[in-house]
Amino acid sequence: MSDASQYDPYAMPPGGIEEPQQTLWAALRKIGPGIILAGSIIGSGELLLTTALGAKYGFAFLWLIIFSCIVKVFVQIELGRYAVSSGKPTLGALNELPGPKWRVHWLVWWWFIMLLATVSQLGAMIGGVAQALNLAFPDGTARLARLIEPVSAGAANSLLDHPEYPWCVVTAFSAVGLLLIGGYKSIERITTGMVAAVTGITVLCVAILPASGYPFRIEDIVQGFTLFTRSGDGWTFAIPAAGIAAAFGAFGITGVGASELYAYPYWCLEKGYARFVGEHSADDAWVRRAKGWLRVMHLDAWVSMIVFTTATVAFYFLGATVLHRQGLHPEKEDMIATLAEMYVPTFGDWTRFAFLIGAWAVLFKTLYVATASNSRLTADFLSLGRFLKFDSAEPRRICIRRLCIFYPIFGMLLYFGFRDPRAMVVFGGFFQAATLPVIAAATVYMRYRRTDPRIAPSKLSDLCLWLAFVSITVVAAYAIRDWGLTELWPAVSGVFGSK
C-alpha cells in the first residue's frame, strides 16, 4: 500500500502538530477550505436563482442577498471551531448530541434527507452545463444523431428532441474523471483557479455596465437597501409582497447554505487544521496552538466570504439591470440562453459564446465541489450508522471515490427525468432552507455545551451567532410555508404537468 493510501486526513497523530502561522502572508498561504466552499457557493444558486430574482424584482432584495452572505458565516465559523479543537467533523459531532437515535442521531438522519433532496441540484448543474455546451456548440448533437441514425432512427430523433442529453453525459463523466485524479490538494488548486476566473469576469461585467445601455444608478442602490417608504397614511413595506417568498428561498441557498455548513469542517480537517493543533489537552501549549490555528481558520472564512459575496452581488446586479429592464425571465430549457443576454449589452453579440463557456465553468465547478463534499459526508454517514466499517484510511478513500462516481451519474439521470434546472434548484433549496435553523440550533448548543471555554469566541461573535440563528429561523419559518406554496409547489407541479 502506498503512503498516499495510508495517509488519513482525519487522524491526529502526535507527529502532525505544527505551530500556527505568525504573519498575515504566512496565514494566507494556509487558507483553502473556505475557497473550496466558495467554489460550491458560487454556482447554481447565484447563477440561476440570484440572477432570476434580480431579473424579476430589480434591486428590491439587494439588502437580503448581502445579509444572507454575511450572517451565516458566524455559524460556519463556530462549526469550524469545534472541528478544529476536537478533530470531529460535522456528522460525528452531531451524532454525540443528546436526543433520539436509531443507528445515528436524528439530526444526522435530517442531514441525510436533505442530501437526498439536494441531489436534484446536482442534476440542475449538469443540465445547466449541458444547455450551455449545446448552445455553444449547436452542431454537436446533430452530428451525433446523423452517425447513429443508420443504427437506430428512434435514438437519433430522441437526441434531436433533447440536444443537451449527450452533453449531460459528457459533463457527468468529466466530473467523475476529474474527481478521481486527486485528493484535497487537487480539489483546492482546481477550485481556486475556477473561483478566481468566474469572480473576476463577473465583476468586470458589472464594472463596465455604466458604459453600456444598462447602467446601475445610485437610486437603484438606495432602493436595494430601502425596507419601508413613507406615504400619506404612514410607513409602508417597500418590498414587493409577491417576491418575498422567492427572496426568502434565495436566502436559503445564497451565501453559505446548509450543505456548505455541513461540509466546511470536513475541509478544515483535510487541510490539517485539527492535526496541527493536536489532540485536545489541558496544557497551555494546546490552547496557544488552538487559538493560533483558529485565527487562520477565521481568516479563511472571511476571505471566502468576501469572494462569494462579491460574486453573488455581481450576479444580482446583472440580473437587476440588464435582464430586469429587458423584461427577460430565465426559466426551464431556455434558462441559460436567457442568462446569456446579460453580457450582450456590455460586450456585444460575441459574448453569448463567452457567457456560455463561463456558465459551464460556474456550474461545472459547483458540481465538482458539491460532489466531493457530498461523497465525504456520505462516507462518514455510512460509517457512523455502521452500514460500512472503515478499519483504516484506505476503505474510506475507496468509498469516497465510488460515491464520486455515483452522484454525478445519479444527478444526470434526475435531469433526464425532470429537465427543468430552476425547478430542481428550487426543490433542493427548499430543503436547505428548512435545514438551516436545525444546523444553526445545533451549532448554538455546541458553542455553549461542547466548546472548550479557553478558546471560546468573543461576546461580539456570540451576539452575531445568535443574530444568525434568529434570522435564519425566522426566514425559514416563513419560507417553509409561503415558499413551499408559491415557489416549490408550482415548480414541481409544472415539471410533472409538462409531461
Side-chain angles (χ1 to χ4, degrees), residues 48-49 117 120-121 123-124 253 330-333 335 415 418-430 483 487-496 498:
L48 304 183
L49 285 190
S120 67
Q121 293 174 308
I253 199 172
E331 58 185 2
K332 295 191 176 181
E333 291 88 347
M335 170 164 280
Y415 178 77
F418 298 106
R419 298 188 66 232
D420 189 342
R422 184 180 180 278
M424 296 170 77
V425 170
V426 166
F427 181 74
F430 177 83
W483 193 42
E487 289 283 320
L488 178 64
W489 176 248
V492 173
S493 61
V495 168
F496 287 101
S498 65

Side-chain angles (χ1 to χ4, degrees), residues 191-220:
T191 305
T192 300
M194 287 187 171
V195 167
V198 168
T199 303
I201 292 171
T202 307
V203 171
L204 177 63
C205 290
V206 173
I208 301 178
L209 276 177
S212 72
Y214 299 91
F216 56 88
R217 303 174 293 266
I218 297 298
E219 50 265 35
D220 294 328

